[in-house]
Amino acid sequence: MPAGASESLGVANPVGGAAGTQPGARAWFVLAALCFVYVLNFLDRQLLSILAKPIREELHLSHGQIGLISGLYFALFYCLISIPVAWFADRSNRVRVLSFACALWSAATIACGFAATYPQLAIARMTVGIGEAGGVPPSYAIISDYFRPGTRGTALGLYNLGPPLGNALGVAFGASIAAAYSWRDAFLVLGAVGVVTALIVWLTVREPVRGGLDAPAAGQGPQSMAPFMATCRMFFANPVLRLVALATGANQFITYATANFATLLLMEEKGMTMEEVALWYSLLILVSMGGGIFLSGRLVDRLASRDKRAYALIPAVGLILAVPFFVGFVLAPGWRMAMLLAVIPMALNYFYLSPAVALVQEEVRPNERVMAGALLLLVMNLIGLGLGPTYLGAASDWFRAAHPENSLQLAFLTLVPFYGLAVLLFFMLARAIRRAAQEAGDL
C-alpha cells in the first residue's frame, strides 16, 4: 500500500501486533468499551418491547402493529443498511463508523420518546435500525484484530454479553423509569446516555491493524481491500458460511419472537406488574441469557480445537434440551412458575451466538471480516428479527378472535416447530464443517 494510504482511509494511529501476542490491557479496555456500546445497542433496540404495554395502551396499538414495528420495519432498515455500512467500514476507520452509528441510533431513541402517533414511532424506530446497522459488524472485526486466534471465542463471548446486559438493564431501568414517570422518559434518558457514550468511544478507542494478529498466510496484507461483490459471492457460495447464517436465522426467529413479546405475555396473561418486571425479569435475562452466551463461547474455545463441528453441535444440543422447558414456561399458570421454568431455555436458546460469530470470523480473511459479519447479520436478522416478532404478533391477533384471554400463549406454542427446523439446520452445518475439513486435509 502506498505511503499515506492509511491516513487517506481515516486509519490513524493503528495498533496491532504479531501473531501470538497475548491480549494486553488496551485490548481488554477496547473489549469493555465495545461491549458497553453493544449493551446500549440492545437496550435501545429492546426498549420498545419492554415498554410495549404502556405504549400499546397510549397509542392504541394491536399486537400485530407491535410485531411489525419491532420486527419487520426495524429489520428491513437494520439489515439492508448494514451491508453498505460494512463495505465502508472495511475501507475506513471502523471505530469512527461505530461511534457515529451509536450517536445516530441514540438520537433516534430520544425521538421515540417524542412520538405522538404510530407513524411517528415507526419512523423513529426505522432510524434506530439505520444507526444500529453500523454497530455490530465493525465491532466484530475490531475485536478480532485485538485478540489472537484461539482467544476470539472467549472475547466474542464476552462481547456478546451485550444483548443480555442490554436487555436486563433495559428492563431494570426502562421499566423502573416508566413505572415512576412515563415510558417516554425512559427513551429520553437512555438515548442521552448513548450520545455521550458515542463521543467517549470516538476519543478513547484506537483503530487496530487489520489482520495484525493473524498469520501472514491467513490473507492478504493487513490493509488490502476485499472487493464487495467477490466477498458476497464467497460468503454465499461457501456451504459453511451459508448454513451458519440460515441456522442462526432460524434460531433467532425463536429468540426475537420470544424477547419481543415475553413481557406482554407475563403482564397481560400471567399477572406480572411493571415493577415486578423491572426486578425479576431483568435478573432472569442477566443470569440466564448472559450465562448461556458466555458459556457457549468458552465451550467452543475448548471443544472446537479438537472437533470443529462443535461450532454447530453446541447450539443444536442446547435447542434440543430447551424445548420442554420452553413449553413449560408458556403453559405455566402464573408468572412465578413461568419465570422459574424460563431459566433453562433462556440460557440454551442463546448457545448459537458466540459459536456462530467466532466461526464466521475464523473462516474468512482479515480484510473480509466486517463484510462477512454484516452478511451473517443480514441473513439471520432478516429471518429472526424481521420475521420472528412479526409472525408472533400476527399469530396472537389471529388467535384473539376465538381466545381473547390467552392468544399470546397459543401464539408462543406455535414456535415449537421452529426449534426442530433450527436443530436440523445446525446438524446440516456440522456435516458441512466436517466435509470442508476433509477437503482441506484436516481430518
Side-chain angles (χ1 to χ4, degrees):
M1 171 172 278
S6 177
E7 289 80 357
S8 68
L9 292 170
V11 184
N13 299 319
V15 295
T21 302
Q22 292 293 329
R26 175 165 290 278
W28 292 110
F29 167 78
V30 169
L31 180 61
L34 298 190
C35 185
F36 186 70
V37 173
Y38 201 12
V39 167
L40 294 175
N41 181 307
F42 245 80
L43 193 159
D44 291 352
R45 185 186 309 181
Q46 296 301 114
L47 199 55
L48 179 71
S49 62
I50 293 163
L51 303 176
K53 190 173 188 294
I55 293 172
R56 198 166 81 86
E57 291 172 350
E58 182 173 331
L59 300 183
H60 308 291
L61 308 181
S62 69
H63 286 164
Q65 287 176 307
I66 291 289
L68 281 169
I69 202 172
S70 61
L72 186 62
Y73 294 165
F74 179 94
L76 283 176
F77 283 85
Y78 176 76
C79 295
L80 297 179
I81 296 297
S82 66
I83 299 303
V85 168
W87 178 87
F88 177 73
D90 261 335
R91 288 154 174 77
S92 62
N93 188 304
R94 296 164 292 181
V95 173
R96 293 183 181 177
V97 171
L98 172 64
S99 301
F100 178 80
C102 180
L104 178 60
W105 84 61
S106 300
T109 298
I110 294 173
C112 291
F114 291 108
T117 64
Y118 181 70
Q120 290 175 1
L121 184 61
I123 292 171
R125 292 303 296 173
M126 292 173 188
T127 308
V128 172
I130 292 171
E132 291 189 3
V136 179
S139 297
Y140 285 160
I142 292 167
I143 292 168
S144 295
D145 285 334
Y146 269 101
F147 289 83
R148 62 180 174 80
T151 65
R152 287 175 184 154
T154 298
L156 290 166
L158 288 168
Y159 173 73
N160 283 324
L161 291 176
L165 288 170
N167 272 301
L169 292 174
V171 172
F173 290 105
S176 297
I177 293 170
Y181 302 100
S182 77
W183 64 267
R184 296 182 183 278
D185 292 321
F187 282 99
L188 298 178
V189 171
L190 296 174
V193 172
V195 172
V196 174
T197 300
L199 179 61
I200 293 172
V201 170
W202 181 290
L203 296 174
T204 61
V205 175
R206 295 170 61 191
E207 174 76 3
V209 172
R210 287 171 170 82
L213 297 178
D214 292 273
Q220 304 168 4
Q223 294 294 327
S224 58
M225 303 298 172
F228 174 77
M229 291 306 300
T231 303
C232 292
R233 286 194 296 269
M234 175 279 301
F235 187 94
F236 291 108
N238 186 317
V240 171
L241 297 176
R242 186 171 62 245
L243 278 168
V244 73
L246 291 173
T248 53
N251 196 322
Q252 280 203 162
F253 189 97
I254 300 163
T255 58
Y256 270 115
T258 301
N260 279 275
F261 283 95
T263 54
L264 272 176
L265 177 69
L266 291 166
M267 294 179 70
E268 292 186 351
E269 298 186 11
K270 299 189 185 297
M272 208 170 189
T273 66
M274 185 67 77
E275 291 81 2
E276 289 165 341
V277 167
L279 175 61
W280 297 111
Y281 189 58
S282 63
L283 287 175
L284 171 68
I285 292 171
L286 182 63
V287 173
S288 293
M289 188 192 300
I293 290 173
F294 179 72
L295 177 59
S296 62
R298 295 289 292 174
L299 284 173
V300 80
D301 269 348
R302 181 177 296 273
L303 300 177
S305 60
R306 286 177 280 180
D307 188 343
K308 207 171 179 181
R309 290 178 299 171
Y311 286 111
L313 296 177
I314 287 171
V317 172
L319 289 173
I320 292 170
L321 296 175
V323 171
F325 295 96
F326 175 80
V327 172
F329 157 72
V330 174
L331 294 178
W335 70 264
R336 291 175 177 83
M337 180 60 70
M339 293 283 287
L340 183 63
L341 289 167
V343 171
I344 301 300
M346 181 74 76
L348 296 176
N349 282 353
Y350 286 88
F351 265 33
Y352 75 95
L353 189 55
S354 296
V357 172
L359 175 60
V360 170
Q361 294 294 301
E362 294 284 354
E363 283 290 303
V364 302
R365 296 191 298 250
N367 63 335
E368 297 171 331
R369 282 180 177 144
V370 178
M371 268 298 299
L375 290 168
L376 172 67
L377 292 173
L378 171 69
V379 176
M380 71 183 194
N381 283 325
L382 276 177
I383 297 171
L385 177 58
L387 301 181
T390 304
Y391 163 80
L392 195 64
S396 178
D397 283 353
W398 188 81
F399 283 119
R400 183 169 292 274
H403 305 277
E405 300 300 319
N406 64 335
S407 63
L408 265 178
Q409 182 186 67
L410 294 173
F412 265 86
L413 288 175
T414 66
L415 293 177
V416 173
F418 292 98
Y419 275 90
L421 175 62
V423 168
L424 175 63
L425 288 168
F426 277 118
F427 280 132
M428 292 172 63
L429 173 61
R431 289 183 60 188
I433 291 172
R434 182 175 180 83
R435 189 177 302 115
Q438 289 173 335
E439 292 173 356
D442 294 335
L443 287 178

